[in-house]
Amino acid sequence: MSSLYLGVDVGGTNLRFGVFDAAQCIASYRTAMNLRERCAQAGEAAAAQQLVLEALAGGYHRLRQQCPQIDGIGVAFPGFVTADGVLRQSPNIPHLEDFALESALTEALQVPVVLENDANAAAFGEFWSLRQERPDATSLIYVGLGTGVGGGWIQGGRPWRGEDGAAMEIGHLTVVPGGRRCGCGNQGCLEQYASAQGLISSYLETTGMNADPKIIAQLAQDENPAALRAFQTLAEHLGQALAHVIKVLDCRQIRVGGGLSAAWDCFGEELRTQLRSNMIPALQDTVEIAAGNGDDEAGVRGAALLAREVLSA
């Protein structure tokens, strides 16, 4: 029997679990859980850490009833993840600074765990899909638009973390100096304009009304001016930020995933326009940007495949 690996994709408002035989998901589980609110309510680091461990263990034990032999676990978590599996900070989930999540979960479950930044894991999942079409591909930039804005870079076939786990934190590039306050402590971060909450804030500033991103997307499809402007703001700032990233990394493939990518028709063309207009002229027609794989499994698949690669080496 081939080895089975569990992939876990931790979001600010939900958890996804999938057991993979190679790249094929054979069992899955998803649950709504607002970790941002629950960890904030926990009030202290120890309680928040225990809450996270219990949530991850719960999904593991549920799927283990279907797949008793899980050989390893890959966890995709939002935040700054070091090479030794420590979560340095999660800007959107409070009280988790310097949390040795990889070793704590390994000890709790008695199964080897590999911890990775959520966008890096999703990038690896998207890269796997790209390689099915283009076996010679070696690099890819991924940006995930959800509760926050995450970025991942695959270089030489592997995620690039940087020295302190903070590489490709594109969501915390300053795009509006002195702009909206961000959970990381700075102001004007891309995350405050291109995430789900950023879209809501842009719509609120124009209309004075709160609305769910799905409603804003529907309004945009109906040519509502305020909704169209909110998506234009997203595309303007994301296109500018990605153009700067391309100037540094010189990568030719970009994939956009996360929950907001479902509204790609509302901002995709404007994003391409903004990216091109902010690029060095010589590079303007060399970059392919597209919505990510539509099966919604990039994060869990990438986490599981990374765990398989690391633990079977």
Side-chain angles (χ1 to χ4, degrees), residues 5-217:
Y5 289 87
L6 173 66
V8 184
D9 188 9
V10 178
T13 56
N14 62 79
L15 303 176
R16 301 176 188 178
F17 301 81
V19 178
F20 286 78
D21 183 350
Q24 179 66 38
C25 185
I26 61 172
S28 63
Y29 169 60
R30 177 173 180 168
T31 182
M33 180 178 292
N34 195 319
L35 279 179
R36 175 192 287 185
E37 289 185 3
R38 293 187 64 178
C39 284
Q41 291 167 0
E44 61 174 6
Q49 292 175 9
Q50 187 60 33
L51 188 156
V52 169
L53 288 173
E54 289 176 358
L56 299 184
Y60 164 75
H61 289 301
R62 184 184 182 105
L63 284 176
R64 196 164 176 264
Q65 294 175 9
Q66 299 173 246
C67 306
Q69 186 55 48
I70 293 175
D71 298 283
I73 302 171
V75 176
F77 207 100
F80 311 145
V81 176
T82 66
D84 55 353
V86 175
L87 180 65
R88 292 292 305 277
Q89 182 191 11
S90 185
N92 290 311
I93 304 178
H95 305 305
L96 298 179
E97 290 82 5
D98 296 319
F99 179 20
L101 177 54
E102 185 175 279
S103 61
L105 195 59
T106 296
E107 182 178 352
L109 301 181
Q110 294 299 295
V111 178
V113 174
V114 174
L115 181 66
E116 185 54 86
N117 167 268
D118 60 339
N120 276 343
F124 197 69
E126 291 289 352
F127 181 71
W128 178 87
S129 297
L130 176 65
R131 286 288 295 269
Q132 307 315 297
E133 304 171 9
R134 305 178 188 182
D136 60 339
T138 60
S139 65
L140 176 140
I141 290 170
Y142 171 84
V143 57
L145 309 181
T147 303
V149 174
W153 179 36
I154 304 300
Q155 173 61 23
R158 291 295 300 272
W160 183 263
R161 281 193 180 122
E163 293 192 17
D164 207 31
M168 274 302 293
E169 283 293 337
I170 187 174
H172 299 291
L173 293 179
T174 300
V175 293
V176 181
R180 300 170 187 166
R181 177 69 64 181
C182 183
C184 73
N186 289 331
Q187 287 180 265
C189 292
L190 176 64
E191 187 163 284
Q192 297 308 306
Y193 299 88
S195 66
Q197 185 56 54
L199 183 73
I200 292 169
S201 296
S202 295
Y203 183 76
L204 175 65
E205 287 176 358
T206 302
T207 66
M209 296 183 292
N210 269 307
D212 183 271
K214 291 181 180 178
I215 294 175
I216 299 173

